[in-house]
Amino acid sequence: MNYSAFISHGGGPLPLLGHEGHKEMVEILEEFASLIPKPDAIVVISAHWDTTEIKVNTQAQPHLLYDYYGFPEPAYNIKYPVSGAPQLAKELLSGLQGLGVPVIEETERGLDHGVFVPLAIMSPEADIPCVQISLQCDYSPELHLQIGEHIAKTIASLDNVLLLGSGFSFHNMAAFRLADNKEAIKNNLEFESWLEQVLNTPLSKQERVQHLINWQSAPGARYCHPTEEHLMPLHVAYGAAQSTPIAFKQVSVLHKKATFALWTMA
């Protein structure tokens, strides 16, 4: 059985620095990890890597990319010596062809904090090989649903692989600084309610897909996502599963509600 998940990776390195505003998020990631067998490999789509093409990191020993600034020194000394999975990466390179966008190999970029922060919580031993795939920078919902579907087909002959869509269901950076702002709270709650209805209530596959394609028409959508990059990992994760989740949580991260979902793959 393969699994797919959409999770929030929180604010930069803060979940790994013991930040109080991430306590509930950390607990949910630990819970999700306990709900499934220890994966043999993890494929990650992070909000913090988007490219004109679709890129697949094929490195055997990727380094970490500290793609944040303004944090204390320990944030730049985080270690997570996870290995890559070059053979799986090559299979994904092949399996992602035919989407109408070039798919190319990445041999130099490190794993960003959308990868190593949640993995360090879910798999602190760093002993599960990991492959990162980029978002495509046009942020087409249809394309990212198809990316998930192609990933699922590519790994269908394998067993015990986790696809992790690492983003955030609320990502208005200015609003994060407004803990008690009524507009932020209203839009946040309305969009999270919409997500729960779309993902976690009985709908046909076609209905869910249409809702996700037309996500901008959801209440609070553009307030919660002035740009799309933190939502598109959800589309990839759902595209691989196309079903209701086996676990669904909405928790507070940095005083805002955030959605977490876990699926078995179709």
Side-chain angles (χ1 to χ4, degrees), residues 43-60:
V43 179
V44 185
I45 307 288
S46 164
H48 291 279
W49 189 23
D50 60 354
T51 57
T52 303
E53 313 85 0
I54 298 169
K55 289 189 175 183
V56 180
N57 193 324
T58 61
Q59 297 173 77

Side-chain angles (χ1 to χ4, degrees), residues 45-160:
I45 307 288
S46 164
H48 291 279
W49 189 23
D50 60 354
T51 57
T52 303
E53 313 85 0
I54 298 169
K55 289 189 175 183
V56 180
N57 193 324
T58 61
Q59 297 173 77
Q61 297 295 329
H63 62 280
L64 301 189
L65 180 63
Y66 303 118
D67 56 332
Y68 40 69
Y69 60 90
F71 292 96
E73 183 177 352
Y76 306 94
N77 295 319
I78 292 169
K79 306 299 181 188
Y80 192 73
V82 68
S83 65
Q87 181 57 44
L88 175 58
K90 296 286 188 181
E91 293 175 15
L92 289 163
L93 272 169
S94 176
L96 288 167
Q97 302 295 329
L99 289 168
V101 178
V103 181
I104 64 175
E105 182 176 11
E106 172 58 54
T107 60
E108 297 183 3
R109 186 184 189 273
L111 304 176
D112 60 64
H113 76 274
V115 181
F116 69 79
V117 168
L119 291 190
I121 297 166
M122 299 176 76
S123 176
E125 300 85 1
D127 58 352
I128 304 174
C130 172
V131 176
Q132 183 175 7
I133 300 174
S134 72
L135 297 171
Q136 201 283 325
C137 65
D138 290 338
Y139 304 134
S140 161
E142 294 93 336
L143 175 63
H144 288 89
L145 288 163
Q146 291 168 9
I147 289 172
E149 188 173 357
H150 277 238
I151 291 172
K153 289 178 180 177
T154 301
I155 65 175
S157 62
L158 305 176
D159 188 33
N160 207 24

